[in-house]
Amino acid sequence: MQRPRDRIEGEAGIVALLRPLAAAFSGALGLCDDCAELAPAPGQDLVLKCDPVREGLHFLSDDDPADIAWKALAANVSDLAAKSARPVAYLLALSFPEHPARDWLERFAAGLASAQEAFGITLAGGDTDRAPGPLSITVTVIGEVPAGRMVRRAAAERGDVLFVSGTLGDAALGLKLRRDGGLAASAVLDESEAVYLIGRYLRPVPRLGLKAALRNHARAAMDVSDGLAKDLGRMLTASAGSAGRRMGATVRAADVPLSDPFRRARAAGLASLEDAVAHGDDYEVLAAVPAAAAADFAASAAAGGVPVTAIGAIEDREGLRIVDTAGFEVALSRRGWDHF
């Protein structure tokens, strides 16, 4: 984190700098009260999600504060996208290890402003404090979905086709490039490709364009934030428990969507399939869709501007298998990110 001389000394100064971000939301009460107020629109359910990000774990200490802010909000809005919910407002809690530098906070606020505009969401309130340890940013997002229409994780069924949005593994490779300055990839990737991959790590884009496709055609969905293998395993476990029977899936490794820069890096030995299926930070959407609705789901996703790829299916067997073109299971040394 940048630490220039000009620091904001009090909480009032921090709130004053962030107040413009709440101006469009009347329930924020100008950030002058202890709480905000929100009444759901008629016929709508509220969808809530809280996901913190921490310096040294989710972002690097020398990342641009604007990128840190974007990612903190995007990581949460991505969950709303997977639930087919419309973002409405969010709460923000900042825990600083010391008085924040004014220019750092100004850059952070600018990143939030850009993300708010992109995602259609507004600051509603929050809190700040000072505590030992790395900078911690906690965002709680609130979305709306027609009553009873939230797309759940625990609703997949046998025979459902598994779809994933976008491409996987770009953030994993982007983080590698961010850490080593791109030196290892300089002979393989051109500058624009490296910038693209690093951007996928720094500024993920929630797949809000999938709202109609998910709501109208998907049976279950969740965002892929801890790795495809890890998150699909969670969907299987939740759905099996809900259905009261065993449930598994087979994913075709050859169909896992990869970007051209990732493929080039993989061919040069700088990336692997494991980076694509067992690494966090993708923030794509995994969906289980009835086979009869698969074509309509893909068409609706395309109409929403989001590419999706069928990668496998839910099966009446236990466990998750990722198989090669010959049908042999691909061994993974890890399944994804786990905090514990």
Side-chain angles (χ1 to χ4, degrees), residues 98-332:
E98 59 184 332
H99 296 296
R102 179 174 296 278
D103 69 338
W104 189 96
L105 195 60
E106 288 174 348
R107 289 287 300 156
F108 183 82
L112 281 179
S114 296
Q116 285 190 181
E117 182 176 2
F119 309 152
I121 195 168
T122 307
L123 179 65
D127 199 8
T128 64
D129 68 9
R130 182 177 174 183
L135 170 65
S136 179
I137 304 163
T138 301
V139 172
T140 300
V141 288
I142 304 166
E144 284 186 340
V145 68
R149 297 291 301 279
M150 186 184 87
V151 182
R152 298 177 58 221
R153 167 197 298 194
E157 294 186 8
R158 181 181 61 181
D160 285 351
V161 178
L162 291 169
F163 283 88
V164 70
S165 65
T167 55
L168 302 181
D170 292 333
L173 187 50
L175 176 57
K176 288 182 181 181
L177 297 177
R178 179 74 181 81
R179 282 177 168 162
D180 72 9
L183 297 179
S186 60
V188 178
L189 304 174
D190 61 35
E191 183 178 357
S192 64
E193 290 173 320
V195 168
Y196 164 79
L197 292 168
I198 292 172
R200 287 273 284 159
Y201 165 70
L202 293 174
R203 292 206 174 201
V205 178
R207 297 301 193 173
L208 293 167
L210 280 179
K211 180 173 61 177
L214 291 170
R215 192 176 297 169
N216 295 326
H217 306 295
R219 203 185 318 262
M222 62 185 295
D223 90 322
V224 179
S225 56
D226 292 330
L228 174 66
K230 172 72 74 173
D231 289 323
L232 176 52
R234 289 167 172 158
M235 178 183 284
L236 295 173
T237 299
S239 297
S242 178
R245 57 183 171 84
R246 65 183 184 178
M247 191 170 292
T250 293
V251 170
R252 301 178 296 271
D255 290 336
V256 173
L258 307 173
S259 67
D260 288 340
F262 187 95
R263 290 180 186 278
R264 282 161 52 81
R266 184 183 179 190
L270 300 177
S272 67
L273 175 67
E274 197 162 286
D275 289 322
V277 301
H279 192 284
D281 285 330
D282 286 315
Y283 299 104
E284 295 292 351
V285 171
L286 169 68
V289 179
D296 289 336
F297 175 80
S300 182
V306 181
V308 295
T309 304
I311 59 170
I314 302 290
E315 300 169 341
D316 186 14
R317 49 175 296 280
E318 290 186 359
L320 164 63
R321 298 189 310 146
I322 299 177
V323 299
D324 61 20
T325 53
F328 294 108
E329 187 168 356
V330 178
L332 300 175

